[in-house]
Amino acid sequence: MFGTLFKSLLAFFYPACCIGCGRELMAGEGLLCADCIGQLPYIGNEDSPCNPVFANIAGRVPVLFAGAVFDFKKKGIIQHLLHELKYNHRPEIGVFLGRIAGERLRGSSCFLPPDYIVPVPMHPRKEKKRGYNQSLRIAEGFREFFPEAGIEKDLLEKRHGSESQTRKNRVSRWENVKTAFCLCDAARREARFEGKHFLIIDDVFTTGATVESCARQILQIPDARVSVLTMATPV
Ligand SMILES: [Zn+2]
């Protein structure tokens, strides 16, 4: 009772605002107002083999499916949402985006439901500083539409941070990413992972080096199959 009263008072003095445009939200609206929801830049072919992420990654590493949901434009609403998610302590944005992705893929005939969802891990030091892993938050929202899938947040480990990345050239950056992730020891031992379908989830797809590296690690599991889902990519 007191909690509800407190929440109502808080909402009266500090009304929730749309993350996209800053307008005061109406009852029933969540993070975004109806206008901003209507303007989300869906790529629209995330479940087709012609989509840009699949075209990019399929020649490099064998994947069943790969796709992105939103077009990532500089200064666009998705860049803004992902920035707030990563740098402004808004973990609920990850869950929100994951739900949209889950709802869109649930009915797709091209998307095989995963046995395990694997959010791209962060270096523990970086995760501690941020307070959460944004890819795990996206995975949690996505899983609401695939409740049979388990989230395996510790299947992969991030071995080293990317602090020195900017000083490296393109080739050595790639070398760095290639060795940045490793399969945890338990995954090599546990029979429950053999022959299963793993869905790697990340926020943005640019060069694809991160998801390629993660996929290569998971494919060390006998008969494993891998799919990739990212929230956004520049089209
Ligand atoms: Zn808005």
Side-chain angles (χ1 to χ4, degrees), residues 17-25 29 31-37 77:
C17 292
C18 171
I19 305 174
C21 65
R23 185 173 69 66
E24 196 176 308
L25 289 170
E29 290 180 331
L31 296 175
L32 292 176
C33 71
D35 283 349
C36 286
I37 291 260
I77 187 166

mmCIF file of all heavy atoms in Angstrom, residues 17-25 29 31-37 77, ligand 1:
data_model
loop_
_atom_site.group_PDB
_atom_site.id
_atom_site.type_symbol
_atom_site.label_atom_id
_atom_site.label_comp_id
_atom_site.label_asym_id
_atom_site.label_seq_id
_atom_site.Cartn_x
_atom_site.Cartn_y
_atom_site.Cartn_z
ATOM 1 N N CYS A 17 9.411 9.808 -18.882
ATOM 2 C CA CYS A 17 9.504 10.412 -20.215
ATOM 3 C C CYS A 17 9.985 9.374 -21.223
ATOM 4 O O CYS A 17 10.712 8.449 -20.887
ATOM 5 C CB CYS A 17 10.481 11.577 -20.196
ATOM 6 S SG CYS A 17 9.860 12.960 -19.229
ATOM 7 N N CYS A 18 9.584 9.570 -22.458
ATOM 8 C CA CYS A 18 9.995 8.691 -23.557
ATOM 9 C C CYS A 18 11.511 8.799 -23.751
ATOM 10 O O CYS A 18 12.052 9.900 -23.811
ATOM 11 C CB CYS A 18 9.267 9.118 -24.832
ATOM 12 S SG CYS A 18 9.875 8.284 -26.301
ATOM 13 N N ILE A 19 12.177 7.653 -23.856
ATOM 14 C CA ILE A 19 13.633 7.672 -24.041
ATOM 15 C C ILE A 19 13.995 8.198 -25.427
ATOM 16 O O ILE A 19 15.052 8.770 -25.640
ATOM 17 C CB ILE A 19 14.240 6.256 -23.894
ATOM 18 C CG1 ILE A 19 13.857 5.651 -22.557
ATOM 19 C CG2 ILE A 19 15.746 6.290 -24.014
ATOM 20 C CD1 ILE A 19 14.303 4.214 -22.435
ATOM 21 N N GLY A 20 13.065 8.033 -26.372
ATOM 22 C CA GLY A 20 13.348 8.473 -27.734
ATOM 23 C C GLY A 20 13.265 9.977 -27.915
ATOM 24 O O GLY A 20 14.196 10.602 -28.412
ATOM 25 N N CYS A 21 12.142 10.584 -27.505
ATOM 26 C CA CYS A 21 11.912 12.003 -27.809
ATOM 27 C C CYS A 21 11.769 12.875 -26.560
ATOM 28 O O CYS A 21 11.688 14.102 -26.683
ATOM 29 C CB CYS A 21 10.657 12.151 -28.676
ATOM 30 S SG CYS A 21 9.154 11.651 -27.824
ATOM 31 N N GLY A 22 11.723 12.255 -25.389
ATOM 32 C CA GLY A 22 11.651 13.042 -24.164
ATOM 33 C C GLY A 22 10.247 13.467 -23.759
ATOM 34 O O GLY A 22 10.057 14.079 -22.713
ATOM 35 N N ARG A 23 9.246 13.184 -24.609
ATOM 36 C CA ARG A 23 7.873 13.567 -24.288
ATOM 37 C C ARG A 23 7.371 12.762 -23.091
ATOM 38 O O ARG A 23 7.758 11.616 -22.897
ATOM 39 C CB ARG A 23 6.988 13.291 -25.513
ATOM 40 C CG ARG A 23 5.565 13.749 -25.389
ATOM 41 C CD ARG A 23 4.806 13.601 -26.713
ATOM 42 N NE ARG A 23 4.541 12.224 -27.133
ATOM 43 C CZ ARG A 23 3.731 11.375 -26.487
ATOM 44 N NH1 ARG A 23 3.136 11.729 -25.367
ATOM 45 N NH2 ARG A 23 3.525 10.169 -26.956
ATOM 46 N N GLU A 24 6.505 13.395 -22.300
ATOM 47 C CA GLU A 24 5.958 12.713 -21.135
ATOM 48 C C GLU A 24 5.127 11.508 -21.596
ATOM 49 O O GLU A 24 4.312 11.635 -22.514
ATOM 50 C CB GLU A 24 5.071 13.688 -20.361
ATOM 51 C CG GLU A 24 4.766 13.237 -18.960
ATOM 52 C CD GLU A 24 3.952 14.301 -18.225
ATOM 53 O OE1 GLU A 24 4.388 15.475 -18.216
ATOM 54 O OE2 GLU A 24 2.894 13.949 -17.695
ATOM 55 N N LEU A 25 5.349 10.366 -20.956
ATOM 56 C CA LEU A 25 4.645 9.155 -21.382
ATOM 57 C C LEU A 25 3.223 9.134 -20.837
ATOM 58 O O LEU A 25 2.947 9.655 -19.762
ATOM 59 C CB LEU A 25 5.392 7.907 -20.897
ATOM 60 C CG LEU A 25 6.717 7.615 -21.600
ATOM 61 C CD1 LEU A 25 7.471 6.504 -20.872
ATOM 62 C CD2 LEU A 25 6.501 7.237 -23.054
ATOM 63 N N GLU A 29 2.007 3.408 -21.757
ATOM 64 C CA GLU A 29 3.229 3.449 -22.572
ATOM 65 C C GLU A 29 4.417 3.022 -21.702
ATOM 66 O O GLU A 29 4.467 3.347 -20.518
ATOM 67 C CB GLU A 29 3.464 4.854 -23.133
ATOM 68 C CG GLU A 29 2.448 5.237 -24.204
ATOM 69 C CD GLU A 29 2.672 6.644 -24.764
ATOM 70 O OE1 GLU A 29 3.193 7.518 -24.036
ATOM 71 O OE2 GLU A 29 2.312 6.850 -25.915
ATOM 72 N N LEU A 31 8.730 2.303 -22.302
ATOM 73 C CA LEU A 31 9.931 3.121 -22.397
ATOM 74 C C LEU A 31 9.826 4.166 -23.493
ATOM 75 O O LEU A 31 10.445 5.218 -23.424
ATOM 76 C CB LEU A 31 11.140 2.236 -22.697
ATOM 77 C CG LEU A 31 11.519 1.212 -21.635
ATOM 78 C CD1 LEU A 31 12.650 0.342 -22.127
ATOM 79 C CD2 LEU A 31 11.936 1.941 -20.362
ATOM 80 N N LEU A 32 9.056 3.837 -24.526
ATOM 81 C CA LEU A 32 8.932 4.728 -25.686
ATOM 82 C C LEU A 32 7.472 5.122 -25.880
ATOM 83 O O LEU A 32 6.569 4.327 -25.612
ATOM 84 C CB LEU A 32 9.411 4.014 -26.962
ATOM 85 C CG LEU A 32 10.890 3.671 -27.100
ATOM 86 C CD1 LEU A 32 11.112 2.894 -28.393
ATOM 87 C CD2 LEU A 32 11.749 4.920 -27.101
ATOM 88 N N CYS A 33 7.264 6.329 -26.391
ATOM 89 C CA CYS A 33 5.905 6.751 -26.701
ATOM 90 C C CYS A 33 5.440 6.042 -27.989
ATOM 91 O O CYS A 33 6.260 5.460 -28.718
ATOM 92 C CB CYS A 33 5.849 8.270 -26.881
ATOM 93 S SG CYS A 33 6.644 8.855 -28.375
ATOM 94 N N ALA A 34 4.151 6.123 -28.256
ATOM 95 C CA ALA A 34 3.598 5.428 -29.428
ATOM 96 C C ALA A 34 4.251 5.932 -30.719
ATOM 97 O O ALA A 34 4.500 5.147 -31.646
ATOM 98 C CB ALA A 34 2.087 5.613 -29.476
ATOM 99 N N ASP A 35 4.547 7.245 -30.793
ATOM 100 C CA ASP A 35 5.169 7.797 -32.004
ATOM 101 C C ASP A 35 6.532 7.158 -32.261
ATOM 102 O O ASP A 35 6.862 6.770 -33.384
ATOM 103 C CB ASP A 35 5.369 9.318 -31.880
ATOM 104 C CG ASP A 35 4.062 10.052 -32.083
ATOM 105 O OD1 ASP A 35 3.082 9.402 -32.509
ATOM 106 O OD2 ASP A 35 4.017 11.263 -31.789
ATOM 107 N N CYS A 36 7.346 7.090 -31.194
ATOM 108 C CA CYS A 36 8.699 6.525 -31.346
ATOM 109 C C CYS A 36 8.623 5.035 -31.657
ATOM 110 O O CYS A 36 9.416 4.538 -32.468
ATOM 111 C CB CYS A 36 9.537 6.782 -30.098
ATOM 112 S SG CYS A 36 10.076 8.502 -29.970
ATOM 113 N N ILE A 37 7.678 4.329 -31.034
ATOM 114 C CA ILE A 37 7.506 2.898 -31.337
ATOM 115 C C ILE A 37 7.218 2.740 -32.838
ATOM 116 O O ILE A 37 7.771 1.864 -33.506
ATOM 117 C CB ILE A 37 6.333 2.299 -30.520
ATOM 118 C CG1 ILE A 37 6.697 2.256 -29.044
ATOM 119 C CG2 ILE A 37 5.889 0.930 -31.072
ATOM 120 C CD1 ILE A 37 7.157 0.932 -28.500
ATOM 121 N N ILE A 77 17.426 6.605 -33.519
ATOM 122 C CA ILE A 77 16.837 6.217 -32.237
ATOM 123 C C ILE A 77 17.484 4.938 -31.676
ATOM 124 O O ILE A 77 17.667 4.802 -30.466
ATOM 125 C CB ILE A 77 15.300 6.059 -32.369
ATOM 126 C CG1 ILE A 77 14.679 5.817 -30.984
ATOM 127 C CG2 ILE A 77 14.906 4.950 -33.341
ATOM 128 C CD1 ILE A 77 13.183 5.970 -30.948
HETATM 129 ZN ZN ZN B 1 8.910 9.344 -28.088
#
